Structure formats: structure tokens, C-alpha cells
Amino acid sequence: MEPTQNVTEFILLGLCHNEMLQPVCFVFFVLLYIATVLGNLLIIVTVKNSQYLKSPMYFFLSYLSFIDMCFSSVTTPKLIADFFLERKTISFDGCIAQLFVAHFFGCTEIFLLTVVAYDRYIAICKPLHYTTIMTGCVCGSLVMASWVGGFIHSIVQTLLTIQLPFCGPNEIDHYFCDVHPLLNLACTDTYLVGVMVSANSGIISLTCFVVLVVSYVIILVSLRSRSSEGRRKALSTCASHIAVVIIFFGPLIFMYLRPSTTFSVDKMVTFFSTNITPLMNPLIYTLRNEEVKNAMRKLRSRKVMLGVK
């Protein structure tokens, strides 16, 4: 007899179980979320309004900041709201929607980071052909392909999960709905689904990570023939991208390139991926990129002058 679907909501056990620490966690996550949104919004506004940041790299960077802002917004507001709720619930439809959107933005960022690496490869290894290769049409197509790739990945993950029967229990030992915790609650054998989920997420993460590493190795090797000033500028830009890649891909590979099991550290690893990484990206790109910092200074000075007038 097939198990029936009788779960209409899930109970999230949350991130912090100590009631004394929950007010502290609330303040911490509110400040963290505000900093993430404002930091990424600042990059978007700077790139959009600066005449000095019109290269494809900054076009991609503004989209990366937008995705980071959205990615953090999928889980953090719900996490913040749940700190003072004794019973943290989410409807079945809301849970599936959260899973879909989180994987959509997460996978889109994976593809976009790969696009950024391709852009840097063309800029550094084929500088004479850069403007003819990275045209506005090509850049727009690459961004669109990243969105489409993220959508396809997310719809596959969602369809694999939504067809499973959930008949109880309905407690998710997490602070948001993700694939692995949901597979543990399904009232059926999820081995095959778990393999497909790991293949879908893990192979995409690992393949893109390998492509990124290879591309940056080629870039670093090609820099040996450059002047010291050109080498320093290229290394500064690539170092920012490499730092983002390591910070972003590390937790993803740990979470999804493995069998469908859960570990006690999963929540902290996921927290790092969904909350710390979106905050680190604007910090890394602004603190290590002189062009972005100069554009921000000029934008601020222009606004001050307009205010005086």
C-alpha cells in the first residue's frame, strides 16, 4: 500500500536552541542581513551610476551582488522572524517554494562565477580581442544562460522532492527547507532520489569549481610574461575572484557532493553559505578593488556637491 501525503506543514527546529541566546542571535542576524543588503545594493548602485565601471566585469559584478542579496533574502528573514516563535512552522507549499528559490539563486551564482572567470580569462589572455569577444550581446547572453541554468537545476531538485510522500514526522532539523533534510522525512526509500539530487547539485558544483580553478591557473601562468604593473593589477582582480570562489564553493561541495545524509555541522556550513558568503562578496570586491573604491568616492562626492547646491 502506497504511503499517503498527509503533511500540510513542517516544523523547523531552527539554528539556536538556547532561549537565553535567542535575543542575541536575533540582533546579530538583523545586523548581518542589513549589512548584506546594503553592501550589495551599494555595489549595484555604484556600477549603475559610475561612468568608470562600464566593463563587462562590473556588469557581471552587479548581477552577482543582486543574486547575493536575493539568495540571503530567501532564508534570513524567516530565520529572524522565527527566533521569538516557540513553534517555527512553514507550510508544505512554502517549504517547496523556499527550496526552489534557494537552489535557483544558488545555482545561478555558480554559473555566474564561472562566467566571471571566463571574462577574466579573455581580458588577461586575449586582451587584443577582448572588446570584440565580450560584446554587450555576449555578456547579456551569458547572464541569461546563468539564469536559465539555475532555473533548470532548481526545477529538477524541486520535482525530485515534491513527488515524495510525507506522512510524518514533520520536524526538519534545520532553519530552512533544503533537499537533504526533506529526504530524511519521506515515507519511502529515497536512495535513488538522493543519488540524483547529489548528482544534480554536486556535479554542477564540482564541474564549475574545476573549470574555475583551471581557468585561473591558466591566467596566473600567462601573467609571467606581463610587466610588473600589469601583473600586479591582474593579480589583485583575480585574487578577489579566487577568494569568492573558495568561500562560495567550499560549503556547496561539502553539502551536496555526498550521499543524502545529514551531519551535525550541516546547519553551520549552510549558514555560512547563505549568510556569510553574500556579505563577504561586496567586502572582498570593494576592499581589494581600487576602481570600485574610487568610483564609490566619486559617486559620494557628486552627491555631496548636489546636496550643497
Side-chain angles (χ1 to χ4, degrees), residues 7-308:
V7 170
T8 59
E9 67 176 14
F10 293 101
I11 300 172
L12 300 170
L13 298 186
L15 190 63
C16 178
H17 302 294
N18 190 326
E19 292 186 4
M20 298 293 292
L21 291 177
Q22 290 199 4
V24 177
C25 291
F26 173 81
V27 173
F28 171 75
F29 278 98
V30 166
L31 295 176
L32 184 68
Y33 181 63
I34 291 173
T36 299
V37 172
L38 292 181
N40 285 289
L41 194 60
L42 178 61
I43 289 182
I44 295 171
V45 171
T46 302
V47 172
K48 183 176 177 59
N49 291 279
S50 175
Q51 58 181 337
Y52 305 102
L53 303 178
K54 296 303 180 184
S55 70
M57 182 182 75
Y58 298 111
F59 173 75
F60 296 135
L61 177 58
S62 64
Y63 273 98
L64 184 63
S65 293
F66 174 74
I67 291 171
D68 276 330
M69 192 166 57
C70 295
F71 188 37
S72 178
S73 298
V74 175
T75 59
T76 308
K78 170 66 174 169
L79 173 64
I80 292 171
D82 282 346
F83 275 123
F84 293 109
L85 295 178
E86 185 176 346
R87 194 168 183 268
K88 306 169 179 61
T89 61
I90 184 170
S91 68
F92 181 85
D93 292 339
C95 184
I96 297 300
Q98 191 179 55
L99 183 153
F100 172 83
V101 178
H103 278 265
F104 172 55
F105 285 118
C107 191
T108 302
E109 182 160 354
I110 289 175
F111 290 130
L112 193 57
L113 285 171
T114 309
V115 168
V116 171
Y118 173 73
D119 171 73
R120 290 300 84 202
Y121 166 77
I122 299 297
I124 295 172
C125 298
K126 299 182 179 181
L128 298 179
H129 301 92
Y130 181 68
T131 55
T132 57
I133 294 175
M134 299 302 292
T135 62
C137 181
V138 170
C139 293
S141 298
L142 289 172
V143 171
M144 179 60 65
S146 299
W147 286 109
V148 172
F151 177 82
I152 293 173
H153 157 79
S154 186
I155 202 71
V156 171
Q157 295 290 77
T158 304
L159 290 176
L160 288 172
T161 306
I162 201 171
Q163 52 87 28
L164 295 172
F166 295 94
C167 50
N170 65 338
E171 288 188 345
I172 300 177
D173 189 14
H174 216 306
Y175 62 90
F176 80 102
C177 290
D178 202 4
V179 180
H180 291 320
L182 284 173
L183 291 183
N184 291 336
L185 298 181
C187 305
T188 186
D189 182 13
T190 59
Y191 175 77
L192 182 59
V193 175
V195 170
M196 290 190 287
V197 163
S198 297
N200 186 19
S201 297
I203 291 177
I204 289 175
S205 300
L206 185 61
T207 301
C208 290
F209 180 72
V210 170
V211 170
L212 286 163
V213 170
V214 171
S215 65
Y216 282 119
V217 168
I218 295 173
I219 290 171
L220 294 174
V221 170
S222 70
L223 289 177
R224 294 184 300 179
S225 59
R226 300 295 181 87
S227 64
S228 59
E229 177 62 23
R231 191 184 305 122
R232 183 198 64 79
K233 185 176 180 180
L235 281 174
S236 176
T237 302
C238 289
S240 300
H241 297 169
I242 292 170
V244 170
V245 166
I246 293 173
I247 292 173
F248 184 73
F249 278 88
L252 288 181
I253 291 174
F254 172 80
M255 287 296 300
Y256 297 108
L257 195 65
R258 72 183 200 210
S260 183
T261 56
T262 56
F263 299 111
S264 57
V265 297
D266 282 356
K267 282 194 283 188
M268 294 310 300
V269 173
T270 308
F271 155 73
F272 189 89
S273 177
T274 58
N275 293 274
I276 301 301
T277 303
L279 174 64
M280 292 299 294
N281 286 355
L283 291 176
I284 290 172
Y285 281 116
T286 54
L287 293 179
R288 294 191 58 86
N289 193 309
E290 285 298 326
E291 289 181 335
V292 175
K293 288 192 287 187
N294 290 335
M296 286 180 177
R297 294 190 194 102
K298 290 175 182 178
L299 183 63
R300 183 176 58 190
S301 299
R302 189 170 64 187
K303 288 188 175 182
V304 169
M305 291 178 64
L306 291 174
V308 171

